[in-house]
Amino acid sequence: MELRSGSDVVAVRQAVRTWAIEAGFTLVDQTKIVTAASELARNTIDYGGGGIARLEILTEGNRKGLRIAFEDEGPGIPDIQKALTDHFTTGNGLGLGLGGAKRLVNEFDISSRVGEGTRVVITRWK
Ligand SMILES: Nc1ncnc2c1ncn2[C@@H]1O[C@H](COP(=O)(O)OP(=O)(O)OP(=O)(O)O)[C@@H](O)[C@H]1O
Ligand SMILES: [Mg+2]
């Protein structure tokens, strides 16, 4: 899914909600993955200059999961540890998005190169 504007964030939220229901997530787990996805989609637009979200349903035996990758070709993050620290922001936010998203999922993977872009992958298992 394309991430360019606020309406794309709404679309990603809705798609993640639908997929989470499909995967059999509880209401609480649906909300966790939707909230994390929403924060990352926002960052992709606000700091990454836009990008894409890739949604994937995972099946491992009878375990189901939802994985979402956020990719942009923006300026990148010079210090990932710092960016993950609560209340660190280079914008006008609260600086809680990345750390918050990390706490809401089971797997959190971030890679970024200055001048090339950023990729954040989150996974939540049922
Ligand atoms: N995709 C990205 N590309 C470049 N920098 C990013 C990206 N995502 C996050 N950052 C950097 O990491 C910082 C922390 O992000 P985080 O989401 O935690 O906070 P925020 O977006 O500033 O505020 P909040 O999410 O609470 O509104 C950002 O201020 C920005 O400097
Ligand atoms: Mg943010």
Side-chain angles (χ1 to χ4, degrees), residues 38-40 42-44 46-47 88-89 93-98:
S38 190
E39 289 297 330
L40 298 174
R42 257 282 142 225
N43 283 351
T44 300
D46 291 349
Y47 304 107
F88 173 85
T89 181
L94 296 173
L96 293 171
L98 279 179

Coordinates of all heavy atoms in Angstrom, one line a residue, residues 38-40 42-44 46-47 88-89 93-98, ligand 2:
S38 N -0.1 2.3 12.7 CA -0.5 3.7 12.5 C 0.7 4.6 12.8 O 1.0 5.5 12.0 CB -1.6 3.9 13.5 OG -2.2 5.2 13.2
E39 N 1.4 4.3 13.9 CA 2.6 5.2 14.2 C 3.7 5.1 13.1 O 4.3 6.1 12.8 CB 3.2 4.7 15.6 CG 2.4 5.0 16.8 CD 2.2 6.5 17.0 OE1 3.1 7.3 16.6 OE2 1.1 6.9 17.5
L40 N 3.9 3.9 12.6 CA 5.0 3.7 11.7 C 4.6 4.3 10.3 O 5.4 4.8 9.6 CB 5.4 2.2 11.5 CG 5.9 1.6 12.9 CD1 6.1 0.1 12.8 CD2 7.2 2.3 13.3
R42 N 2.7 6.9 9.9 CA 2.9 8.3 10.1 C 4.3 8.7 10.0 O 4.6 9.7 9.3 CB 2.4 8.7 11.6 CG 1.1 9.3 11.7 CD 1.2 10.8 11.3 NE 0.0 11.1 10.5 CZ 0.0 11.9 9.4 NH1 1.0 12.3 8.9 NH2 -1.2 12.1 8.8
N43 N 5.2 8.0 10.6 CA 6.6 8.3 10.5 C 7.1 8.2 9.0 O 7.9 9.0 8.6 CB 7.5 7.3 11.3 CG 7.4 7.6 12.8 OD1 6.9 8.6 13.2 ND2 8.0 6.7 13.6
T44 N 6.6 7.2 8.3 CA 7.0 7.0 6.9 C 6.7 8.3 6.1 O 7.4 8.7 5.2 CB 6.3 5.8 6.3 OG1 6.7 4.6 7.0 CG2 6.7 5.6 4.8
D46 N 5.8 11.4 7.5 CA 6.3 12.7 8.1 C 7.8 12.8 7.9 O 8.3 13.9 7.7 CB 6.0 12.8 9.6 CG 4.5 13.0 9.8 OD1 3.8 13.3 8.9 OD2 4.1 12.8 11.0
Y47 N 8.5 11.7 8.1 CA 10.0 11.8 8.1 C 10.6 11.1 6.9 O 11.8 11.5 6.5 CB 10.6 11.2 9.4 CG 10.1 11.8 10.6 CD1 9.2 11.1 11.4 CD2 10.5 13.1 11.0 CE1 8.6 11.7 12.6 CE2 9.9 13.7 12.1 CZ 9.0 13.0 12.9 OH 8.5 13.6 14.0
F88 N 12.4 11.2 22.4 CA 13.3 11.8 21.4 C 12.5 12.1 20.1 O 11.8 11.2 19.6 CB 14.4 10.9 21.0 CG 15.3 11.4 19.9 CD1 16.3 12.3 20.1 CD2 15.0 11.1 18.6 CE1 17.1 12.9 19.1 CE2 15.8 11.6 17.5 CZ 16.8 12.5 17.8
T89 N 12.5 13.3 19.6 CA 11.9 13.7 18.4 C 12.7 14.7 17.6 O 13.3 15.6 18.3 CB 10.4 14.2 18.6 OG1 9.8 14.5 17.3 CG2 10.4 15.4 19.5
G93 N 6.4 15.9 17.3 CA 5.7 14.8 18.0 C 6.1 14.7 19.5 O 6.8 15.5 20.0
L94 N 5.6 13.6 20.1 CA 6.0 13.3 21.5 C 7.2 12.4 21.6 O 7.7 12.2 22.6 CB 4.8 12.6 22.1 CG 3.5 13.4 22.3 CD1 2.4 12.6 22.8 CD2 3.7 14.6 23.2
G95 N 7.6 11.9 20.4 CA 8.8 11.0 20.4 C 8.5 9.7 21.0 O 9.4 9.0 21.6
L96 N 7.3 9.3 20.9 CA 6.8 8.0 21.5 C 6.5 6.9 20.5 O 6.2 5.8 20.8 CB 5.6 8.2 22.4 CG 5.9 9.0 23.7 CD1 4.7 9.4 24.4 CD2 6.9 8.3 24.6
G97 N 6.5 7.3 19.2 CA 6.0 6.4 18.2 C 6.8 5.1 18.0 O 6.2 4.0 18.1
L98 N 8.1 5.3 17.8 CA 8.9 4.1 17.5 C 9.0 3.2 18.8 O 8.7 1.9 18.6 CB 10.3 4.5 17.1 CG 10.6 4.9 15.7 CD1 12.0 5.3 15.5 CD2 10.2 3.8 14.7
Ligands
MG2 MG 6.3 9.1 15.2

